[in-house]
């Protein structure tokens, strides 16, 4: 298994093995679910899973600290040069969020924001009051929240805005849970998050005090019916699947290995995730399945 062999360990008993995983908050809940499913088939396998952001997952796997790094952004050329080996496992997206108690909530949902307006807010800092957006009379400060850690969500959002994560400016918050809480607490907030920290899996509606800002893709100053699919997690996931919510900010989530995985248990875990049973777990947990063509391509990488 290449240099991952140092972190893929057999426990004290000869028949028990541990798979160590760290990385993207976006993929963490899904990997916990997959690991529980896999243990029903392979009870001899244990998992040690932690979330710390895609940057940490990549650093951990390339240094041999874990077997799998969870990634929610593109892999950089230098990371491939260091031995990174990527297997894609799911699709999701990053969305812009604000507090549902914002005094201008109805106008914001009606007009949405254009990509250029997002650039003025998150990159250029030219828009710092809500009333600077045409059609919004509520004259309040705009509190911009961004990620303070090396995050796939931030890099994906920055890629959508044609810049890098370092170009995003605002109040830095660590981790997806912290970012989501900041939006929930602050009526004048604006930020971005992974889907699984925006919607509740119980009713598949946005979390309390949170709304998603629709993107005015055709820049006509209003959200047309074909541009509004955020009211329900499944309607947004359908839009991701058919391309109405394009990439970026939609994206592919993956497992990064240090070299092509060869350990039989790791391979069995990947094969389960790419199986119809493993992929069927994605929609119910708020993610989008890979296409059949993508699944076939990813399986070919480990054959």
């Amino acid at each position: 298994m290449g240099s991952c062999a140092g972190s893929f360990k057999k426990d004290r008993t000869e028949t028990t093995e541990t798979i160590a995983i760290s990385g993207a908050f976006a993929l963490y809940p899904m990997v916990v679910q997959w690991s529980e499913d896999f243990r029903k088939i392979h009870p001899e396998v244990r998992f040690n899973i932690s979330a710390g952001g895609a940057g940490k997952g990549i650093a951990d796997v390339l240094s041999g600290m874990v077997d799998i790094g969870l990634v929610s952004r593109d892999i950089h050329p230098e990371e491939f040069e260091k031995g990174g080996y990527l297997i894609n496992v799911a699709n999701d997206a990053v969305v812009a969020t604000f507090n549902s108690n914002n005094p201008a909530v109805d106008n914001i949902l009606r007009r949405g924001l254009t990509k250029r307006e997002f650039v003025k807010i998150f990159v250029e800092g030219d828009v710092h009051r809500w009333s600077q957006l045409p059609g919004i009379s509520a004259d309040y400060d705009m509190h911009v929240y961004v990620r303070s850690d090396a995050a796939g969500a931030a890099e994906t959002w920055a890629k959508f805005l044609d810049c890098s994560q370092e170009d995003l400016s605002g109040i830095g918050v660590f981790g997806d849970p912290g970012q989501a809480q900041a939006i929930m607490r602050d009526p004048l907030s604006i930020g971005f998050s992974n889907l699984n920290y925006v919607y509740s899996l119980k009713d598949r509606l946005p979390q309390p005090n949170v709304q998603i800002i629709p993107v005015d893709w055709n820049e006509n100053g209003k959200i047309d019916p074909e541009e509004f699919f955020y009211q329900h997690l499944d309607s947004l996931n359908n839009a991701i699947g058919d391309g109405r919510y394009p990439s970026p900010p939609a994206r592919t989530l993956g497992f990064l290995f240090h070299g092509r995985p060869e350990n039989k248990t790791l391979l069995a875990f990947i094969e389960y995730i790419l199986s119809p049973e493993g992929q069927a777990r994605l929609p119910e947990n708020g993610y989008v399945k890979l296409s059949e063509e993508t699944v076939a391509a990813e399986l070919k990488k480990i054959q």
Side-chain angles (χ1 to χ4, degrees), residues 2-299:
S3 60
C4 280
S7 59
F8 191 93
K9 296 177 180 176
K10 283 200 172 188
D11 284 352
R12 293 170 185 166
T13 62
E14 282 296 320
T15 57
T16 301
E17 293 180 291
T18 299
I19 296 176
I21 303 172
S22 78
F25 286 96
L27 199 45
Y28 172 78
M30 192 63 242
V31 171
V32 170
Q33 179 67 69
W34 276 329
S35 69
E36 292 172 354
D37 294 343
F38 189 73
R39 274 180 52 79
K40 294 176 183 175
I41 311 169
H42 299 278
E44 75 282 5
V45 179
R46 296 179 179 176
F47 287 86
N48 182 0
I49 308 172
S50 63
K56 175 170 171 44
I58 292 169
D60 285 350
V61 73
L62 294 182
S63 66
M65 290 182 63
V66 300
D67 305 293
I68 301 172
L70 307 178
V71 294
S72 55
R73 64 162 173 79
D74 293 340
I75 305 302
H76 301 164
E78 60 270 24
E79 292 163 345
F80 282 121
E81 291 171 2
K82 292 178 181 177
Y85 195 88
L86 180 67
I87 304 290
N88 294 310
V89 296
N91 294 313
D92 83 338
V94 176
V95 291
T97 56
F98 74 118
N99 189 293
S100 59
N101 297 311
N102 186 300
V105 58
D106 292 337
N107 278 345
I108 295 168
L109 293 177
R110 192 178 301 120
R111 74 183 297 285
L113 268 72
T114 65
K115 175 179 174 178
R116 180 61 189 147
E117 287 171 333
F118 284 124
V119 170
K120 289 183 178 180
I121 293 169
F122 287 97
V123 183
E124 298 174 352
D126 291 339
V127 173
H128 44 81
R129 294 184 72 80
W130 285 98
S131 57
Q132 290 178 279
L133 296 172
I136 294 181
S137 58
D139 190 20
Y140 297 97
D141 285 340
M142 178 183 286
H143 301 161
V144 182
Y145 290 89
V146 297
R147 290 284 292 274
S148 61
D149 51 320
E155 187 157 327
T156 300
W157 189 246
K159 186 177 180 182
F160 168 54
L161 302 182
D162 300 319
C163 65
S164 64
Q165 181 180 346
E166 291 72 22
D167 297 321
L168 299 178
S169 61
I171 304 166
V173 181
F174 179 83
D176 266 303
Q179 174 87 332
Q181 287 294 321
I183 300 299
M184 290 178 187
R185 287 194 300 263
D186 186 345
L188 302 180
S189 62
I190 183 171
F192 52 83
S193 280
N194 300 314
L195 295 187
N196 278 284
Y197 296 86
V198 174
Y199 290 90
S200 165
L201 286 181
K202 283 187 178 180
D203 56 14
R204 306 178 83 76
L205 298 173
Q207 298 277 7
N209 297 335
V210 175
Q211 280 286 353
I212 295 88
I213 302 178
V215 181
D216 180 10
W217 295 103
N218 61 14
E219 302 184 353
N220 67 350
K222 64 179 181 179
I223 296 301
D224 299 311
E226 61 271 20
E227 293 175 319
F228 190 72
F229 32 70
Y230 306 89
Q231 65 273 36
H232 195 276
L233 178 56
D234 294 332
S235 60
L236 177 52
N237 278 344
N238 287 337
I240 295 168
D242 64 24
R244 283 175 292 149
Y245 195 74
S247 174
R251 61 184 173 179
T252 301
L253 305 174
F255 285 1
L256 191 71
F257 301 89
H258 195 177
R260 182 183 179 280
E262 297 177 355
N263 179 281
K264 290 182 180 179
T265 305
L266 269 184
L267 293 174
F269 185 48
I270 300 167
E271 287 170 351
Y272 162 72
I273 287 169
L274 295 175
S275 71
E277 292 78 14
Q279 289 289 295
R281 281 297 210 176
L282 287 165
E284 63 191 72
N285 286 282
Y287 298 81
V288 179
K289 293 195 291 186
L290 299 176
S291 67
E292 293 182 3
E293 293 77 12
T294 301
V295 167
E298 300 310 300
L299 283 171

